[in-house]
Amino acid sequence: MIVTNMVHPNAGQAAAFFGGEEDASFVMVNLLKFKPKAEYPDGSDAHLSGAEAYLRYGMAVRAHIEAVGGRAGYAGPVTGLLLGEVEELWDMVALAEYPSRAAMMAMIQNPDYQEIAKHRAAGLAGQLNIRTKGTLG
């Protein structure tokens, strides 16, 4: 199994994800890996860790998820691995429920969301996004 963390999907991944026929509610499982230090394009806030930069995003994204009819779920640090083997653990797991892929697309195309996404990019070394069927409960 090859595992590659990424910050943004490539064009093929985005097209496959958003172009499918089924558009029911889903929960996105986010496995997050942070940079040791935040990296903003303008060099600002170099004193922040990647986790601190991502926290800025995490605090603001909840309102954007809710604005499209979704909800933020559990978020917390990864503290260990019981089963399986990976070269390096992720730093955090976060769950978010969306009513549809169209709702998620509307969120990420919103200019206000795009403004906060700079904190996500500054803090993340990479992540896996795993779409699961269903709701948070």
Side-chain angles (χ1 to χ4, degrees):
M1 174 186 296
I2 297 173
V3 176
T4 304
N5 289 315
M6 298 173 67
V7 176
H8 301 286
N10 64 40
Q13 289 169 319
F17 182 86
F18 288 108
E21 288 186 28
E22 179 189 341
D23 202 19
S25 64
F26 66 96
V27 174
M28 186 67 80
V29 178
N30 301 277
L31 301 177
L32 308 164
K33 188 69 180 166
F34 301 123
K35 295 174 184 173
K37 290 296 214 173
E39 296 177 8
Y40 288 92
D42 64 1
S44 66
D45 295 325
H47 65 284
L48 294 177
S49 69
E52 290 168 325
Y54 188 86
L55 180 60
R56 289 178 169 179
Y57 168 80
M59 297 298 289
V61 75
R62 178 179 296 271
H64 292 278
I65 294 169
E66 290 172 356
V68 297
R71 61 186 173 140
Y74 172 80
V78 172
T79 59
L81 183 68
L82 171 64
L83 185 62
E85 184 176 331
V86 293
E87 198 170 295
E88 190 174 354
L89 286 177
W90 290 270
D91 296 317
M92 183 177 194
V93 173
L95 304 176
E97 178 185 337
Y98 296 92
S100 65
R101 287 179 290 184
M104 184 181 184
M105 176 62 84
M107 182 188 82
I108 63 177
Q109 289 179 333
N110 180 312
D112 292 334
Y113 170 83
Q114 292 172 5
E115 177 61 28
I116 68 161
K118 68 184 177 188
H119 303 300
R120 179 185 171 277
L124 278 180
Q127 73 181 90
L128 296 182
N129 291 142
I130 303 166
R131 181 170 57 110
T132 67
K133 194 173 190 170
T135 65
L136 289 172

